[in-house]
Amino acid sequence: MKFCAPYILLLGCLAATSALATQPLQIYAPEAAPYQYEMAGEVHGTTVEALRCALNETSWRPDVHIVPQRRGIHSLRTGVIDGYMAITPSDDIDQFATLSAPLALEKWYLYSREPVSLSKARLGAIAGSNESIWLHKKGLTPRMQVSSLGQLVALIERDRIDAMVVDQRVMERYLKDARDNRSAPRVQLQRQFIRFAPLGLYVGKNFLAAHPRFLARFNDNLDDCVSSGFQLEDSERQLIQRQSTTLLDQAISELAIQDTLSNPPPPSTLADILMIDELWQASTADAPSEEAQHILERPLSKALRQWQQQQRGRVTETMVMDAQGSLVASSQMTSDYWQGDEDKFRVVAADPGDGFYIGPVRYDASAQHFQVIASRALHDPRSGELIGAVALGIDIEKALSGQVLADVTSP
């Protein structure tokens, strides 16, 4: 309606505006507390909160229902619903839907009585679960598939299976409820880290054809809605710090980074740095700016690339910054030239010692891996003045892989 007479059609205009103000978004999800669960007729959980948060400033209002995974995927394929959430990437679903950025981050462990190999253990899984789908994709067909986590634990107690792959938070929730009901497992289980798994929202391609801007805006909004769920635990942080310290020491020593930073060119003004940064951000890896190409071709950048390749995937990126936070060398094209306003530089530069920083977990959708940034400040050994910093991207799945921890699951 292009025009509404101020008196005659006022109520009609208000009614039309109200009707267009919100739109229902039909979403199915599997039962998996604490991510999504039904209580008193309503669906709650961390993924549901992230979903509502990301849609809060849009006209879309999610209508979420808990259904079995197979039914949810079938409903999405046939167009009965707009989206299916809390699922890991799937080649099959990619054919008729597009996955969003992560709503949550699962941490999968192999739970067993004794340390066992994932490839050799008699495995159990919940039928149709993300873990079951992943195991099948890896060629590790579970020996037994059941409908609940409690049944899997019982199978381990009866020695019918050796191990099960379960998300840490799901397991913690199960153990809490079991203890509250005085039905805790009779055996003590150990856990071995397997992988991180992003849980996203699969949106049907028919829906996206009708609303082509939906997913881009949804993903942008998610940045402010899920960061709290991507933090490392203290034990994981300590492990990452030990590995990062070793890697940083190795890079600094082998590549003579301290010597390079001890002989800097004359400092630039902030205005000059920001001008270079603006040109840098407008360039790409295929068409780098003149300054970007110059830095990437420096001997130290070439040495960083060679050193990084020797780390067998543990290091995903390496960069060296001067005392102003400007890029001196990098193993690859970065999004920014000036790092001075980012935590990896700002935090360590403010530390009078050789400050150390570990950032939050970030998911790289294009590379499909999770990483953290670890950085350290470098100071002149004589004057104590800051001369720069070194930062590494650490693949946390490779860093944590194979770590076996005792898990108190016995009464």
Side-chain angles (χ1 to χ4, degrees):
M1 185 178 296
K2 295 183 178 180
F3 174 77
C4 291
Y7 303 104
I8 301 175
L9 298 179
L10 177 59
L11 293 179
C13 285
L14 290 174
T17 302
S18 176
L20 294 173
T22 62
Q23 305 174 75
L25 190 69
Q26 300 297 327
I27 304 292
Y28 283 177
E31 176 85 24
Y35 298 101
Q36 57 277 334
Y37 57 93
E38 194 167 2
M39 184 174 65
E42 293 187 3
V43 180
H44 304 270
T46 55
T47 58
V48 179
E49 292 173 3
L51 175 73
R52 289 172 177 156
C53 172
L55 295 172
N56 186 49
E57 295 183 2
T58 73
S59 63
W60 297 100
R61 293 297 173 262
D63 183 16
V64 184
H65 296 272
I66 299 294
V67 302
Q69 183 136 297
R70 290 175 181 172
R71 178 186 165 190
I73 294 173
H74 175 74
S75 298
L76 183 60
R77 179 187 290 109
T78 56
V80 174
I81 57 175
D82 301 315
Y84 183 73
M85 74 173 189
I87 189 169
T88 54
S90 165
D91 293 338
D92 293 335
I93 303 178
D94 285 339
Q95 298 176 30
F96 53 87
T98 301
L99 188 63
S100 74
L103 291 160
L105 179 63
E106 284 194 326
K107 195 182 302 178
W108 293 1
Y109 284 89
L110 184 68
Y111 287 89
S112 60
R113 288 186 177 186
E114 302 293 338
V116 293
S117 168
L118 177 66
S119 61
K120 297 180 180 179
R122 297 175 299 163
L123 297 171
I126 297 175
S129 66
N130 288 324
E131 294 89 337
S132 175
I133 294 172
W134 180 78
L135 287 170
H136 278 94
K137 186 177 180 180
K138 298 287 286 185
L140 301 171
T141 303
R143 175 168 293 195
M144 302 190 71
Q145 297 194 70
V146 293
S147 60
S148 71
L149 181 51
Q151 291 173 324
L152 281 180
V153 174
L155 289 174
I156 291 182
E157 291 176 340
R158 297 169 190 164
D159 199 29
R160 300 284 299 278
I161 60 173
D162 299 321
M164 56 187 180
V165 178
V166 180
D167 170 64
Q168 178 189 18
R169 291 180 185 173
V170 172
M171 187 66 172
E172 289 175 348
R173 179 65 174 259
Y174 164 77
L175 292 173
K176 180 182 181 302
D177 291 345
R179 289 187 181 112
D180 290 345
N181 296 326
R182 297 185 179 181
S183 58
R186 296 190 298 272
V187 295
Q188 183 168 343
L189 301 177
Q190 294 185 328
R191 58 179 179 145
Q192 177 181 337
F193 176 79
I194 298 298
R195 69 184 295 252
F196 285 96
L199 299 182
L201 169 68
Y202 261 114
V203 184
K205 290 187 176 179
N206 289 338
F207 176 89
L208 292 176
H211 309 282
R213 297 190 217 174
F214 172 84
L215 199 55
R217 185 176 182 187
F218 180 80
N219 288 339
D220 287 343
N221 292 344
L222 272 179
D223 283 343
D224 298 324
C225 297
V226 298
S227 58
S228 62
F230 283 36
Q231 302 298 320
L232 291 170
E233 297 178 6
D234 288 342
S235 59
E236 295 167 341
R237 192 177 189 83
Q238 291 168 8
L239 178 64
I240 295 293
Q241 181 163 343
R242 288 196 299 270
Q243 294 190 25
S244 301
T245 299
T246 300
L247 289 167
L248 283 165
D249 286 343
Q250 181 184 347
I252 292 167
S253 174
E254 292 183 5
L255 306 180
I257 293 175
Q258 187 104 15
D259 293 340
T260 300
L261 293 176
S262 296
N263 297 284
S268 302
T269 65
L270 182 58
D272 289 339
I273 292 173
L274 294 179
M275 182 177 66
I276 296 173
D277 191 54
E278 184 176 353
L279 294 173
W280 187 291
Q281 292 181 36
S283 64
T284 64
D286 295 329
S289 66
E290 182 178 345
E291 184 66 23
Q293 189 169 358
H294 172 66
I295 288 177
L296 291 171
E297 290 178 353
R298 284 177 176 170
L300 181 55
S301 292
K302 295 178 181 178
L304 292 178
R305 284 194 289 275
Q306 184 177 5
W307 176 83
Q308 183 175 311
Q309 290 173 358
Q310 297 170 354
Q311 307 314 313
R312 299 181 180 180
R314 286 189 300 167
V315 179
T316 58
E317 60 179 317
T318 314
M319 66 181 72
V320 177
M321 298 149 278
D322 65 16
Q324 294 177 286
S326 299
L327 208 61
V328 173
S330 178
S331 62
Q332 60 207 54
M333 185 69 180
T334 61
S335 57
D336 302 286
Y337 166 72
W338 188 51
Q339 311 289 324
D341 60 343
E342 298 189 14
D343 287 345
K344 63 174 171 283
F345 178 83
R346 187 176 54 80
V347 171
V348 298
D351 192 322
D354 289 337
F356 191 90
Y357 166 79
I358 295 180
V361 178
R362 298 295 184 197
Y363 179 63
D364 185 335
S366 60
Q368 292 194 357
H369 69 232
F370 297 88
Q371 72 167 23
V372 295
I373 296 296
S375 62
R376 171 190 285 180
L378 293 176
H379 295 82
D380 186 293
R382 296 181 296 275
S383 67
E385 291 184 1
L386 176 73
I387 58 174
V390 184
L392 304 177
I394 304 295
D395 185 314
I396 56 176
E397 289 191 276
K398 285 185 169 60
L400 298 177
S401 181
Q403 298 300 312
V404 178
L405 304 171
D407 203 6
V408 183
T409 55
S410 58

